[in-house]
Amino acid sequence: MARIVVVTSGKGGVGKTTTSASFATGLAMQGHRTVVIDFDVGLRNLDLIMGCERRVVYDLINVINGEAALHQSLIKDKHTDNLCVLPASQTRDKNALTMEGVGKVFEELSKDFEYIVCDSPAGIEHGALMALYFADEAIVTTNPEVSSVRDSDRILGILQSKSRRAELNLEPVKEHLLVTRYNPSRVDNGDMLTVEDVTDILAIPLLAVIPESPSVLKASNHGIPVVHQQDSDAGQAYRDMVARFLGAELPHRFIEPPRKGFLQKMFRSRA
Amino acid sequence: MSLLDMFKSNKESTCSASVAKQRLQILVAHERMSRSTSHDFLPAMQEDIMKVVEKYIMVSKDNVSIRLENDEQHSYLEVNVQLPD
């Protein structure tokens, strides 16, 4: 049986798609057969971040409606073995995502893949609920910022009450906190919530901290998930995240600001 | 600004992150409480209360309101029955 992992947040723009792309790629790089599914019907973007936008023929809704076979809609990733992308529909109504249809797709995918990564849309509407309903584990993507933390808490409430595991009284969805767009210098200045602040408030285990990094934008420009960039801090942080998810114990990196020299300290207050 | 000030941390005066944390802690605690106090039973209870009231007094459903409210320490159940003239 495949493990179903939803990447969720409530709030938009916090890095769900970036995370879904790099996390799924990272799992595949570790040799796990992985499929990443875009649930953002009408506003798909995972294909762009994965760099396969010109190879989309059929999508998730086509499969649910029986207009295409599952294998026709899966796009094999060009950069990584063991990895497929299942794009969202750009035109259809999101209500076409039926629970029965999504369940069937997961059942079929479970035969061929070890991990099914679901890129949730923002919000708490139908599409987001469908993305998290079948989840075994959830990666709650949060920026160190008040509205994102509040929305993440809301999503945790939904995972605990509206998921399949909650409804059937099974073992609860395993929750992981992923703090993204972390800026250690601003944290040091007292302008940004610390990782500890966020973990205190949300009270779920921390999986990883992804630093705010110019390489994320560069990676999306090229359509190659940032996890491929060996020399990028965000890329390395995503590799650590995948390793920890798979059970490795690694210290958290990129949470300390770059060291400043004496002169820089002297002049900081005047800058 | 004295020379010494340059070496002092200016965290206390400008630490907006600690304000953010305080606000979030209060808000999240409040929102969690209203989530955990399940309001699902309210419509059924309203039905039952209506039946009892109707047994003795003629009132329409519109004249009965039932609300459940929480604050930090207490939960209030408010039943308001508007009696006919």
Side-chain angles (χ1 to χ4, degrees), chain A residues 141-161:
Chain A
T141 312
T142 309
N143 290 168
E145 178 268 327
V146 283
S147 51
S148 175
V149 176
R150 178 200 213 171
D151 291 358
S152 289
D153 190 65
R154 187 83 203 278
I155 278 291
L156 286 170
I158 291 171
L159 284 165
Q160 288 154 14
S161 62

Side-chain angles (χ1 to χ4, degrees), chain A residues 57-74 86 92 105 108:
Chain A
V57 183
Y58 295 111
D59 56 55
L60 178 60
I61 304 282
N62 290 136
V63 178
I64 288 175
N65 290 345
E67 297 152 355
L70 184 58
H71 68 88
Q72 292 177 296
S73 68
L74 289 174
L86 180 49
R92 304 292 182 87
V105 170
E108 212 171 319

Side-chain angles (χ1 to χ4, degrees), chain A residues 200-242:
Chain A
D200 273 2
I201 293 163
L202 294 178
I204 58 170
L206 177 68
L207 181 62
V209 180
I210 311 297
E212 178 146 62
S213 165
S215 54
V216 172
L217 179 61
K218 281 189 209 156
S220 73
N221 288 341
H222 288 291
I224 301 170
V226 70
V227 71
H228 280 294
Q229 291 188 29
Q230 307 267 7
D231 51 355
S232 134
D233 48 359
Q236 290 172 24
Y238 273 119
R239 280 168 186 254
D240 286 3
M241 169 202 178
V242 172

